[in-house]
Amino acid sequence: RLVRVFGIPAGGWWGDGNSPELEAVGLQLPSVVPLIERSAKLMKGEQHVKLKALGVDTKLDPIVRDYKISVGKMAVERTDKSKPYQLVVDEGFAKQQGLDIGHVLSMRTTVNKYDLELVGLAKPQGGAAMRQMALAMVPLEDAKKIFNKSQYREVIDSVQIVTAKDA
């Protein structure tokens, strides 16, 4: 199976890679951050919206991808099966769709239909702010269950290679 590789130069928001944020999560440069990227359909009542869903390492992704959680919190892996999975969406998308923190939405994937609670809104920073897309993020371990069939449960489809600023 083909794995896409995205190169992300460290810099800008963390300089030469010797930052407290990187040290706090144990990320040393160069490093690899896993990612699952899938198309999905988000459903709120009768409304169905196609979007790009990302399964992210919730400790590393906010450091390597250029966004900030503007409202709420980053989603955490589901530990209580009686509760829905957690979801973070792009702030602009949430506003456009009338979504608020605490809303429980359904997501249709190629595997099944899942309930997800909106727990955070992400605001793109820098160059990422130019992108206009419906984007949703869920914790990587939950994404493996939501997007991957059981025989492929541990498959990721992308890695982000994080290098030092001048590499």
Side-chain angles (χ1 to χ4, degrees):
R1 180 169 173 134
L2 177 65
V3 174
R4 290 175 294 180
V5 178
F6 298 96
I8 298 176
W13 67 97
W14 70 68
D16 64 1
N18 296 319
S19 74
E21 293 88 356
L22 294 174
E23 291 174 14
V25 295
L27 185 66
Q28 297 180 3
L29 301 179
S31 194
V32 174
V33 179
L35 179 70
I36 292 176
E37 183 176 339
R38 300 282 196 278
S39 295
K41 190 181 289 186
L42 197 63
M43 298 171 282
K44 179 185 173 197
E46 296 298 315
Q47 191 175 16
H48 296 215
V49 180
K50 290 182 180 179
L51 53 74
K52 180 175 289 197
L54 301 178
V56 300
D57 181 315
T58 57
K59 290 185 178 131
L60 299 178
D61 198 72
I63 297 170
V64 301
R65 196 181 306 276
D66 208 4
Y67 66 88
K68 300 287 181 208
I69 300 297
S70 58
V71 178
K73 64 178 186 170
M74 175 51 91
V76 296
E77 185 179 344
R78 183 173 82 161
T79 56
D80 182 347
K81 290 185 179 189
S82 69
K83 294 185 178 181
Y85 292 100
Q86 292 187 359
L87 172 73
V88 171
V89 299
D90 176 87
E91 184 180 72
F93 173 72
K95 184 176 181 179
Q96 178 187 41
Q97 298 297 320
L99 304 176
D100 291 314
I101 300 298
H103 278 167
V104 176
L105 310 161
S106 292
M107 182 181 286
R108 170 82 57 196
T109 71
T110 58
V111 176
N112 207 338
K113 181 176 151 190
Y114 298 91
D115 289 331
L116 297 104
E117 179 182 2
L118 181 58
V119 297
L121 303 180
K123 183 173 185 173
Q125 305 291 305
M130 302 291 286
R131 298 166 83 191
Q132 295 289 328
M133 69 168 44
L135 183 68
M137 294 180 283
V138 297
L140 184 62
E141 292 305 313
D142 288 343
K144 289 177 183 178
K145 297 169 191 157
I146 294 170
F147 300 113
N148 293 346
K149 295 180 180 178
S150 60
Q151 67 267 36
Y152 302 111
R153 187 72 69 204
E154 293 304 313
V155 172
I156 60 168
D157 57 12
S158 303
V159 292
Q160 300 169 101
I161 298 176
V162 184
T163 62
K165 183 176 185 177
D166 298 324

